[in-house]
Amino acid sequence: MVNQVQKVDGSWQSCKSDSSGASNSGESSRESSRCSTPGPDADRADRLREKMRRRIESGDPWFSLEFFPPRTSSGAVNLISRFDRMGFGGPLFIDITWHPAGDPGSDKETSSMMIASTAVNYCGLESILHLTCCNQTKENITAHLSKAKRLGLKNIMALRGDPLGDSWEEEEGGFSYATDLVKHIRCEFDDYFDICVAGYPTGHPEADGYHADLKHLKEKVDAGADFVITQLFFRAETFLSFVKDCRAIGITCPILPGVFPIQGYQSLRQLVKLSKLEVPKEIMEVIEPIKDNDAAIRNYGIQQAVEMCKVLLDSGVVPGLHFFTLNREVATIQVLRQLGLWIEDPRRPLPWAISAHPKRKVEDVRPIFWASRPKSYIYRTQDWDEFPNGRWGNSSSPAFGELNDYYLFYLKSKCSKDALLQMWGEELTSEESVFEVFTNYITAQANLSGHKVMCLPWNDDPLAPETNLLKDELEKVNRRGILTINSQPNINGKPSSDPIVGWGPPGGYVFQKAYLEFFTSSENVTALLKVLRKYEPRVNYHIVNVQGKNLTNAHDMQPNAVTWGIFPGREIIQPTVVDPVSFMYWKDEAFALWIEQWAKLYEEESPSRMIIQYIHDNYYLVNLVDNDFPLDNCLWQVIDDMFDLLDAPPEPLQ
Amino acid sequence: MVNQVQKVDGSWQSCKSDSSGASNSGESSRESSRCSTPGPDADRADRLREKMRRRIESGDPWFSLEFFPPRTSSGAVNLISRFDRMGFGGPLFIDITWHPAGDPGSDKETSSMMIASTAVNYCGLESILHLTCCNQTKENITAHLSKAKRLGLKNIMALRGDPLGDSWEEEEGGFSYATDLVKHIRCEFDDYFDICVAGYPTGHPEADGYHADLKHLKEKVDAGADFVITQLFFRAETFLSFVKDCRAIGITCPILPGVFPIQGYQSLRQLVKLSKLEVPKEIMEVIEPIKDNDAAIRNYGIQQAVEMCKVLLDSGVVPGLHFFTLNREVATIQVLRQLGLWIEDPRRPLPWAISAHPKRKVEDVRPIFWASRPKSYIYRTQDWDEFPNGRWGNSSSPAFGELNDYYLFYLKSKCSKDALLQMWGEELTSEESVFEVFTNYITAQANLSGHKVMCLPWNDDPLAPETNLLKDELEKVNRRGILTINSQPNINGKPSSDPIVGWGPPGGYVFQKAYLEFFTSSENVTALLKVLRKYEPRVNYHIVNVQGKNLTNAHDMQPNAVTWGIFPGREIIQPTVVDPVSFMYWKDEAFALWIEQWAKLYEEESPSRMIIQYIHDNYYLVNLVDNDFPLDNCLWQVIDDMFDLLDAPPEPLQ
């Protein structure tokens, strides 16, 4: 792509010249909308309507996913895991319906507001929050919108909503139509939100006919809506003629078809009843005979949806497909796979999961300590006004929020107490039985009672592929009481496309310094400190106990960059640092996890609990960095030397 | 070194623990005071008295150099070159005397103020400006100090000065004593300046005896002076007993001996007369017989100074030696070499020369374009309030000052017009004769008239050792009209101690992307653009002519880091970037140099001048970056391909 650069109003601007090949430019645009890239990145900073515009320009169709808020707290934990899993497929956005009966704007972990906030902040998903206006006061609506903005939500689906009960009653000082809500959002929040409105391909059930309803849609768009998502429909031609009619009356914004893969007989009947739609005869004729065969209906639903979507995509007027998931994964993913739209892109824009909060769009460096607990890191830094961009050293005095409530729902373990006890031991008999839990976690082998250790208090997931590179060494040291909770191998310039350690845009090179973080006994630490003298200045260390006694050889408390990447035409990115100041905040959290997540599984005063308590009270948390990244990682040698020293016979008195 | 880290007032601080070995800690301190290190570096940010304190603590004696302002403009150019040369030896500071007769506070290029400012800003030397108070109003003095502060000067030597003429007359509203000046500085500027005062080992000639003078010194120190530099003396014991007497009356600050290597008979007599000192009989007895043999006197002076300095250093009470250089190099450098204090440290804290202005102490990234013209870069950015630290991208819209006056004295060529004509040609006959000048500069071989080309308008010095690595390739392309003005080889992780490409603290690794910048004809550019398509996205290019027509394949105008370093326990440093926005400012300067420095050597309308003017008007300035730094530099292949394309027979018409 050849850019022509011109001075405009005293600043230099770049614009594509004619010599840029169309296909080439398409590809590069596709690149950037798929993988948000580090640094001051246009796509990461873009608002949703801009992302859509770029995907439309490059002819790159997208998909999006609709979810409804869960009813229970454990439902919320499950839904958030589903967000993470379905996020891998690359949705352009998700949306969360507004559930008037479920206190949707509240701080409850199951509210529409909190679920949407979690999706944005903790799962890094571009999200749309639905908002209905009927039966609500203006003040209420403004309060919801202000809260949404504060939480980092940037997109609203403006709906009228269904009246509570049978009769329609206008709220005093409220709104009767979605158009009023759109106007209100634009009036009160200017251009802050991207606004979506609903379209009805077969007409709104309460409107005076199809054409009257089209007019209402035009009014909603004219009032400031950015794009349209339609109600579900069963025939591609229904949608295509609707779009044609919309264009004819001057609706020019994107119109996204709402796709409903039939997943079961009951859910179909229920939805049809709610939406007052008629299921076409040819569909009912297939379904009725197999209505008791869930698998058969689902298969049919997938096939029917795939065929309809193909027609939609081939029409050339559909930029993206919107799926009503019913909070289920299988059918939607199947349809997307068959359409070739589900693309699990192993590329990571940064080594850690990015938050989608607009305040964090420039964030590109974090302390390594929270590598396995990114949601906790995001939670504890949610009140920061600025995020470090490029240098951690700039954020001179990071103030981490307290993490007193270990039961914050998005930090909850996916495992039940029983499952945890099976993995970590119903009864601990010694420190060694704790060593064994750590070792079994590393080896992914079943423990004596036949259960695999799939997580630890510091790691909610099995070992990362990258950590697997160190598996043999980790097993060896954990067996002897070097209880590792975080580590990375050294990397000396692997391609950024490397499936295990790569991240960032293509064509770059990634680097790492070897890192090892573990709990260990004070006896071990005494020997370790002697050994570490031999490794000056190659190895930096920070060693701290729960009381905060801290030993380090780091000069003037500067951060140490341990992961960095070099990319074509960009500044250096150094996304993870070992920061001595943040380490003191992390150690509080790391030590507390012994008690909150593990000790409390056991009765007070029980031997098991006292063993964990003893470790908490007496062990040290150690981190080691091998600065000589081009050489072989020396940290294992450091540990070996420590054991050799411990094993050596005491020196004779002179 | 083991540091104990404790929470003080809510922030984490580090303090040395007892387990730190003394010798080890001494070494590391010595390290940091010698080589100012990148990043938020304690030493670079330290004020002079802190640097002294750290050197004293680590038992690492220093030296410092005194200069007086020159009388002529060409004298100023010479003195600045001398600063650069004598800066290599590692003085802790230099000082510039106040020359009341020479309009010392003015903007004249020969004023004390401007010479000190140049030393600080352009030569990166810690500098002390002398200031005398007699015959000056308070307002005048305050104005001088304010100006010094504005220019980045941080240290003042507070002196009374000698009255003009024979009789002493107190200025109305002025000061009679240096003590008053010290008080005034502290009163008006609080703790901003480090203040030095003069000590008189044999008593001030106008004081009422030695002990009265000691009391005056005590008053000056009590008024706020940070350290003392003494008047010259000829016997070590004179100084040592003076220090003893100072300590006895409670003067505890550093006292630095003023050392005067005798350099000639006349200068000795003159100095003795001015300072009203008596030369000891044993010295006069040696000198008188050889008074007409300059070399013999200088040799004696060196020997005498070395012996005296050895006694001083051995005494254990002398932390550093201060040399009265008389603006000459040889004798002082000889003495320092013999004392082992002259240490030409090849290590560079950053790849470019750092300015000592306090505003710039965090600066650690610059565009590569000014690599050979750092003084011009400093000049053009002197009005910036903030300097990029870590990321260039943060300084979103750099505003470079205009550089209209190419005769700013610190940018003057060290060569005369005649010398330039000899190097660059008394008469140019074609563009090819310009190619030859560039080629001869690269090869360092004499041209047809027998003169070596030692500089070009864009490079005031011969080829850098690093560029020498590319010499053969550069010669080849310059011969064919690729007129290179800046280049660097790719480097994939060489030790930071590498004598040619290394920089930064020890134990690190440095990297570079290959870079090439040149002027060339529009015919070549047309072919080059075709060739560059093959090198997408590996090679980034920016191609611009004097009118500002600019072609680039760089995405969204981001800076490209082309030099970076990884160091133990630190964040990544990326000291040079190719910044597309700054390039547009640089191209104005780079094109103007054709006219200002070269074309104007010739008569208007002369063929030589018209050839340079033609190049200026028609050539393009090109920069190329090879992003694949671990592979072999492909930029030479790009140029080869371009020539192949130009040499190929024209394609037959279809």
Side-chain angles (χ1 to χ4, degrees):
Chain A
M1 174 172 36
V2 176
N3 291 340
Q4 192 84 23
V5 179
Q6 294 180 317
K7 202 160 187 176
V8 179
D9 297 338
S11 72
W12 293 100
Q13 302 204 336
S14 154
C15 56
K16 241 176 268 171
S17 84
D18 292 339
S19 53
S20 141
S23 71
N24 188 5
S25 123
E27 262 171 46
S28 100
S29 168
R30 179 173 308 189
E31 195 63 66
S32 59
S33 59
R34 275 275 161 68
C35 174
S36 67
T37 45
D41 169 40
D43 191 57
R44 195 169 154 193
D46 267 357
R47 46 199 305 169
L48 180 53
R49 65 188 185 209
E50 280 305 302
K51 291 181 187 175
M52 288 186 181
R53 189 186 53 74
R54 292 212 275 148
R55 291 283 279 257
I56 291 170
E57 274 179 15
S58 64
D60 185 22
W62 69 80
F63 70 91
S64 49
L65 304 169
E66 182 162 313
F67 299 93
F68 52 78
R71 261 174 303 186
T72 65
S73 148
S74 70
V77 172
N78 288 338
L79 184 60
I80 291 161
S81 306
R82 183 164 298 120
F83 287 167
D84 285 338
R85 285 193 300 275
M86 294 193 83
F88 286 136
L92 185 67
F93 62 89
I94 68 163
D95 61 328
I96 309 295
T97 60
W98 188 255
H99 222 229
D103 203 355
S106 76
D107 287 344
K108 280 202 289 191
E109 57 207 48
T110 54
S111 75
S112 300
M113 185 74 80
M114 294 318 285
I115 292 294
S117 161
T118 302
V120 166
N121 286 288
Y122 297 100
C123 305
L125 296 170
E126 179 83 49
S127 305
I128 302 178
L129 176 66
H130 290 219
L131 184 60
T132 60
C133 58
C134 72
N135 299 107
Q136 290 205 71
T137 63
K138 256 189 206 178
E139 291 67 33
N140 245 343
I141 288 169
T142 303
H144 289 322
L145 289 164
S146 298
K147 183 171 184 175
K149 183 178 174 184
R150 203 171 60 246
L151 291 170
L153 300 174
K154 298 171 293 181
N155 313 294
I156 297 291
M157 175 123 179
L159 300 164
R160 191 194 69 178
D162 296 315
L164 294 172
D166 282 338
S167 65
W168 181 264
E169 225 174 280
E170 191 175 334
E171 177 78 18
E172 191 84 30
F175 303 118
S176 311
Y177 298 103
T179 310
D180 300 326
L181 178 54
V182 174
K183 282 180 188 165
H184 178 72
I185 298 173
R186 284 285 172 250
C187 171
E188 295 288 316
F189 295 87
D190 199 14
D191 204 34
Y192 175 79
F193 289 105
D194 279 11
I195 301 175
C196 173
V197 290
Y200 298 89
T202 52
H204 191 277
E206 291 175 26
D208 299 334
Y210 177 76
H211 287 282
D213 193 56
L214 271 184
K215 269 192 193 165
H216 287 150
L217 182 59
K218 177 77 161 61
E219 283 165 19
K220 290 195 276 189
V221 174
D222 289 347
D226 296 297
F227 55 98
V228 174
I229 296 179
T230 74
Q231 180 56 288
L232 65 90
F233 52 90
F234 294 98
R235 292 183 182 128
E237 56 268 33
T238 310
F239 177 81
L240 295 175
S241 64
F242 171 70
V243 171
K244 206 172 152 193
D245 295 337
C246 286
R247 299 303 182 220
I249 62 164
I251 297 173
T252 57
C253 68
I255 303 174
L256 311 179
V259 177
F260 173 70
I262 298 167
Q263 302 194 48
Y265 189 72
Q266 286 311 321
S267 62
L268 175 64
R269 279 178 62 97
Q270 203 182 345
L271 199 87
V272 164
K273 189 177 153 206
L274 274 173
S275 59
K276 305 197 171 74
L277 288 176
E278 229 173 281
V279 182
K281 208 175 128 210
E282 71 269 20
I283 293 181
M284 285 316 292
E285 278 172 359
V286 178
I287 285 184
E288 282 293 346
I290 54 171
K291 67 179 181 184
D292 297 322
N293 185 342
D294 285 353
I297 290 189
R298 198 167 55 231
N299 284 341
Y300 168 74
I302 290 168
Q303 216 36 56
Q304 193 267 340
V306 166
E307 275 159 28
M308 191 179 77
C309 288
K310 279 185 181 165
V311 176
L312 291 172
L313 290 172
D314 287 347
S315 73
V317 303
V318 173
L321 301 169
H322 187 70
F323 285 84
F324 301 109
T325 66
L326 305 184
N327 285 15
R328 296 187 205 154
E329 284 167 66
V330 179
T332 303
I333 292 179
Q334 283 276 358
V335 173
L336 286 166
R337 277 193 208 282
Q338 291 192 37
L339 293 170
L341 290 178
W342 182 268
I343 298 169
E344 289 198 4
D345 192 338
R347 289 179 300 171
R348 303 173 293 172
L350 286 172
W352 33 263
I354 294 170
S355 169
H357 194 293
K359 271 202 306 187
R360 302 184 89 114
K361 68 190 175 198
V362 297
E363 180 182 25
D364 66 8
V365 44
R366 289 186 185 172
I368 195 171
F369 315 118
W370 283 268
S372 300
R373 293 176 60 78
K375 291 188 172 78
S376 157
Y377 179 77
I378 291 167
Y379 177 78
R380 297 189 66 178
T381 60
Q382 65 186 346
D383 291 333
W384 289 9
D385 285 328
E386 285 185 2
F387 288 88
N389 174 14
R391 285 182 91 75
W392 181 265
N394 285 349
S395 74
S396 43
S397 113
F400 286 85
E402 295 296 328
L403 192 64
N404 293 323
D405 182 359
Y406 281 89
Y407 295 96
L408 290 166
F409 77 99
Y410 37 75
L411 291 179
K412 258 191 186 158
S413 174
K414 285 173 230 158
C415 302
S416 65
K417 180 176 172 178
D418 285 348
L420 294 177
L421 281 169
Q422 286 172 344
M423 292 193 283
W424 302 344
E426 304 276 355
E427 215 179 305
L428 302 173
T429 54
S430 64
E431 291 169 63
E432 281 72 23
S433 43
V434 173
F435 301 177
E436 210 179 300
V437 174
F438 277 81
T439 310
N440 286 333
Y441 173 75
I442 298 293
T443 59
Q445 298 200 328
N447 58 21
L448 289 178
S449 59
H451 296 95
K452 285 193 183 179
V453 180
M454 304 300 283
C455 63
L456 286 178
W458 306 269
N459 300 280
D460 208 28
D461 292 303
L463 221 53
E466 188 193 2
T467 316
N468 249 313
L469 298 174
L470 306 172
K471 198 167 162 177
D472 293 346
E473 303 286 357
L474 287 170
E475 178 186 349
K476 201 172 116 189
V477 303
N478 275 283
R479 219 172 267 294
R480 295 197 61 179
I482 300 288
L483 306 177
T484 59
I485 59 169
N486 196 354
S487 57
Q488 69 176 22
N490 59 320
I491 302 293
N492 186 15
K494 289 232 184 188
S496 58
S497 56
D498 184 279
I500 296 179
V501 299
W503 53 272
Y509 295 91
V510 298
F511 294 79
Q512 292 179 178
K513 292 178 180 177
Y515 179 75
L516 192 60
E517 183 181 332
F518 53 86
F519 291 100
T520 203
S521 68
S522 63
E523 297 73 31
N524 286 353
V525 163
T526 305
L528 185 62
L529 278 170
K530 280 187 194 153
V531 163
L532 281 167
R533 286 185 204 149
K534 279 202 312 182
Y535 291 88
E536 292 273 0
R538 179 168 174 178
V539 175
N540 280 126
Y541 60 87
H542 298 272
I543 302 177
V544 64
N545 69 1
V546 72
Q547 286 88 27
K549 185 182 171 191
N550 185 21
L551 301 159
T552 176
N553 67 339
H555 293 288
D556 48 35
M557 302 299 273
Q558 283 195 51
N560 189 350
V562 292
T563 303
W564 64 100
I566 317 297
F567 301 96
R570 290 179 179 270
E571 296 194 88
I572 314 292
I573 317 286
Q574 53 159 33
T576 42
V577 295
V578 169
D579 173 53
V581 179
S582 314
F583 186 60
M584 302 310 285
Y585 291 92
W586 164 246
K587 73 101 176 134
D588 291 337
E589 182 171 336
F591 275 103
L593 286 165
W594 281 108
I595 305 301
E596 298 296 330
Q597 304 247 357
W598 198 336
K600 289 189 176 171
L601 295 176
Y602 308 107
E603 295 289 315
E604 281 191 53
E605 309 287 329
S606 68
S608 295
R609 185 150 175 172
M610 284 165 71
I611 287 167
I612 300 296
Q613 185 75 48
Y614 175 84
I615 290 177
H616 169 270
D617 294 347
N618 292 283
Y619 275 36
Y620 280 77
L621 181 61
V622 178
N623 78 49
L624 303 176
V625 176
D626 177 2
N627 286 297
D628 256 330
F629 62 94
L631 311 181
D632 281 345
N633 178 355
C634 75
L635 300 182
W636 307 117
Q637 190 58 50
V638 170
I639 306 291
D640 278 352
D641 288 358
M642 182 199 84
F643 283 127
D644 287 349
L645 185 64
L646 288 165
D647 294 344
E651 282 177 38
L653 292 173
Q654 293 203 315
Chain B
M1 173 171 41
V2 177
N3 291 342
Q4 193 85 22
V5 179
Q6 294 180 320
K7 201 161 186 177
V8 179
D9 296 336
S11 71
W12 293 100
Q13 303 205 335
S14 155
C15 55
K16 239 175 271 172
S17 85
D18 292 339
S19 53
S20 142
S23 70
N24 188 4
S25 122
E27 261 170 44
S28 97
S29 168
R30 179 172 308 189
E31 197 64 64
S32 60
S33 58
R34 275 275 162 67
C35 174
S36 66
T37 45
D41 168 42
D43 191 57
R44 193 168 152 195
D46 267 357
R47 44 198 307 167
L48 180 53
R49 65 190 185 208
E50 279 306 302
K51 291 182 189 176
M52 287 186 182
R53 189 187 54 71
R54 294 212 274 150
R55 291 283 280 256
I56 291 170
E57 275 179 16
S58 63
D60 184 22
W62 69 81
F63 71 90
S64 49
L65 304 169
E66 183 162 314
F67 299 92
F68 52 79
R71 261 174 303 182
T72 64
S73 148
S74 70
V77 172
N78 287 338
L79 184 59
I80 292 161
S81 306
R82 184 165 297 120
F83 287 167
D84 285 339
R85 284 191 301 274
M86 294 192 84
F88 286 135
L92 186 65
F93 63 88
I94 69 163
D95 61 328
I96 308 295
T97 60
W98 188 254
H99 222 230
D103 203 356
S106 75
D107 287 344
K108 279 201 288 189
E109 58 206 49
T110 54
S111 76
S112 300
M113 185 73 80
M114 293 319 285
I115 292 293
S117 160
T118 301
V120 166
N121 286 288
Y122 297 99
C123 305
L125 296 169
E126 180 83 49
S127 304
I128 302 178
L129 175 66
H130 290 220
L131 184 60
T132 60
C133 59
C134 74
N135 299 107
Q136 291 206 70
T137 63
K138 256 188 205 179
E139 290 67 32
N140 245 344
I141 288 169
T142 303
H144 288 322
L145 290 164
S146 298
K147 182 171 184 174
K149 184 176 174 185
R150 203 170 60 244
L151 291 170
L153 300 173
K154 298 172 293 183
N155 313 294
I156 298 291
M157 174 122 180
L159 299 164
R160 191 196 67 178
D162 297 314
L164 293 172
D166 283 338
S167 65
W168 180 264
E169 227 175 279
E170 190 176 332
E171 177 77 20
E172 193 83 30
F175 303 120
S176 309
Y177 298 104
T179 311
D180 300 325
L181 178 55
V182 174
K183 284 181 185 162
H184 179 71
I185 297 174
R186 284 285 172 251
C187 170
E188 296 287 316
F189 294 87
D190 198 14
D191 204 35
Y192 175 80
F193 289 104
D194 280 12
I195 301 176
C196 173
V197 291
Y200 299 89
T202 52
H204 190 279
E206 290 174 25
D208 299 333
Y210 177 76
H211 286 284
D213 192 56
L214 270 184
K215 269 192 191 161
H216 286 150
L217 181 59
K218 177 79 160 64
E219 284 164 18
K220 289 194 277 190
V221 173
D222 289 347
D226 296 296
F227 55 98
V228 175
I229 295 179
T230 75
Q231 182 53 286
L232 66 91
F233 51 89
F234 294 98
R235 292 183 181 125
E237 55 267 35
T238 309
F239 178 81
L240 295 174
S241 65
F242 170 69
V243 171
K244 207 172 150 191
D245 295 337
C246 287
R247 299 303 183 221
I249 64 164
I251 297 172
T252 57
C253 67
I255 304 174
L256 311 179
V259 178
F260 173 72
I262 297 167
Q263 303 195 48
Y265 188 72
Q266 286 311 323
S267 62
L268 175 64
R269 278 178 62 99
Q270 204 182 346
L271 198 89
V272 163
K273 189 179 152 202
L274 276 173
S275 60
K276 303 194 174 75
L277 289 175
E278 229 173 285
V279 183
K281 208 175 126 212
E282 70 270 20
I283 292 182
M284 285 316 291
E285 278 173 0
V286 178
I287 284 183
E288 281 292 346
I290 55 170
K291 68 180 180 184
D292 298 322
N293 185 341
D294 286 353
I297 291 188
R298 197 166 57 229
N299 284 340
Y300 168 75
I302 289 168
Q303 216 36 56
Q304 192 268 340
V306 166
E307 275 159 28
M308 190 179 78
C309 289
K310 279 185 179 163
V311 177
L312 291 171
L313 291 173
D314 288 347
S315 72
V317 304
V318 173
L321 302 168
H322 187 71
F323 285 84
F324 301 109
T325 66
L326 304 185
N327 286 16
R328 297 187 205 154
E329 284 167 66
V330 180
T332 302
I333 293 178
Q334 283 275 359
V335 172
L336 286 166
R337 278 193 207 279
Q338 292 193 36
L339 293 169
L341 291 178
W342 182 267
I343 298 170
E344 289 196 4
D345 192 338
R347 289 180 298 173
R348 303 173 294 172
L350 285 172
W352 33 263
I354 292 169
S355 169
H357 194 293
K359 270 203 309 187
R360 303 186 87 113
K361 68 190 176 199
V362 296
E363 180 183 25
D364 66 8
V365 43
R366 289 185 186 173
I368 196 171
F369 316 118
W370 283 268
S372 300
R373 293 176 61 78
K375 292 187 171 74
S376 156
Y377 180 78
I378 291 167
Y379 176 78
R380 298 190 65 178
T381 60
Q382 65 185 347
D383 292 332
W384 288 9
D385 286 329
E386 287 186 0
F387 287 89
N389 173 15
R391 284 181 94 75
W392 181 264
N394 285 349
S395 73
S396 43
S397 110
F400 286 85
E402 295 295 329
L403 192 64
N404 293 322
D405 181 359
Y406 280 88
Y407 295 96
L408 292 166
F409 76 100
Y410 37 75
L411 291 179
K412 259 192 188 159
S413 174
K414 286 174 228 156
C415 301
S416 65
K417 180 177 171 180
D418 285 347
L420 294 177
L421 281 169
Q422 285 171 345
M423 291 193 283
W424 301 345
E426 303 278 353
E427 215 180 306
L428 303 173
T429 54
S430 64
E431 291 170 61
E432 282 71 24
S433 44
V434 173
F435 301 177
E436 208 179 301
V437 174
F438 277 81
T439 310
N440 287 332
Y441 173 74
I442 298 293
T443 59
Q445 298 200 328
N447 59 21
L448 289 179
S449 58
H451 296 96
K452 285 192 183 178
V453 180
M454 304 300 284
C455 63
L456 286 178
W458 306 268
N459 300 279
D460 209 27
D461 291 304
L463 222 54
E466 186 192 1
T467 316
N468 249 312
L469 299 174
L470 306 172
K471 199 169 161 176
D472 293 346
E473 303 287 357
L474 287 170
E475 178 186 346
K476 200 172 116 187
V477 303
N478 274 282
R479 221 173 265 293
R480 294 197 61 179
I482 300 288
L483 306 177
T484 60
I485 60 170
N486 195 354
S487 58
Q488 69 176 20
N490 59 320
I491 302 293
N492 186 14
K494 289 232 182 186
S496 59
S497 56
D498 184 279
I500 294 179
V501 300
W503 53 273
Y509 294 91
V510 297
F511 293 79
Q512 292 178 180
K513 291 179 180 176
Y515 179 73
L516 192 59
E517 183 181 333
F518 53 86
F519 290 100
T520 203
S521 68
S522 62
E523 295 72 34
N524 286 352
V525 163
T526 305
L528 185 62
L529 279 170
K530 281 188 193 150
V531 162
L532 281 166
R533 288 187 203 149
K534 279 203 312 186
Y535 292 88
E536 291 273 359
R538 178 168 176 180
V539 175
N540 280 125
Y541 60 87
H542 297 271
I543 302 176
V544 64
N545 69 0
V546 72
Q547 285 88 28
K549 186 182 170 194
N550 185 20
L551 301 159
T552 176
N553 67 339
H555 293 289
D556 48 36
M557 302 299 272
Q558 282 196 52
N560 189 349
V562 292
T563 303
W564 63 99
I566 317 299
F567 302 97
R570 289 179 181 271
E571 295 193 87
I572 314 292
I573 317 286
Q574 52 160 34
T576 42
V577 293
V578 169
D579 173 53
V581 179
S582 312
F583 186 60
M584 301 311 283
Y585 291 93
W586 164 246
K587 71 102 174 131
D588 291 336
E589 183 171 337
F591 275 103
L593 286 165
W594 281 107
I595 305 300
E596 297 297 329
Q597 304 246 358
W598 200 334
K600 288 188 175 171
L601 295 176
Y602 308 106
E603 295 287 315
E604 280 189 54
E605 310 287 331
S606 68
S608 297
R609 185 149 177 175
M610 284 163 71
I611 287 166
I612 301 296
Q613 185 75 49
Y614 175 83
I615 290 177
H616 169 271
D617 294 348
N618 292 285
Y619 275 36
Y620 280 77
L621 181 62
V622 177
N623 78 49
L624 303 176
V625 176
D626 177 3
N627 286 297
D628 256 331
F629 61 95
L631 312 182
D632 281 344
N633 178 354
C634 75
L635 300 182
W636 306 119
Q637 190 59 51
V638 170
I639 305 290
D640 277 352
D641 289 358
M642 181 198 82
F643 283 126
D644 287 350
L645 185 65
L646 288 165
D647 293 344
E651 282 176 38
L653 292 173
Q654 294 201 319

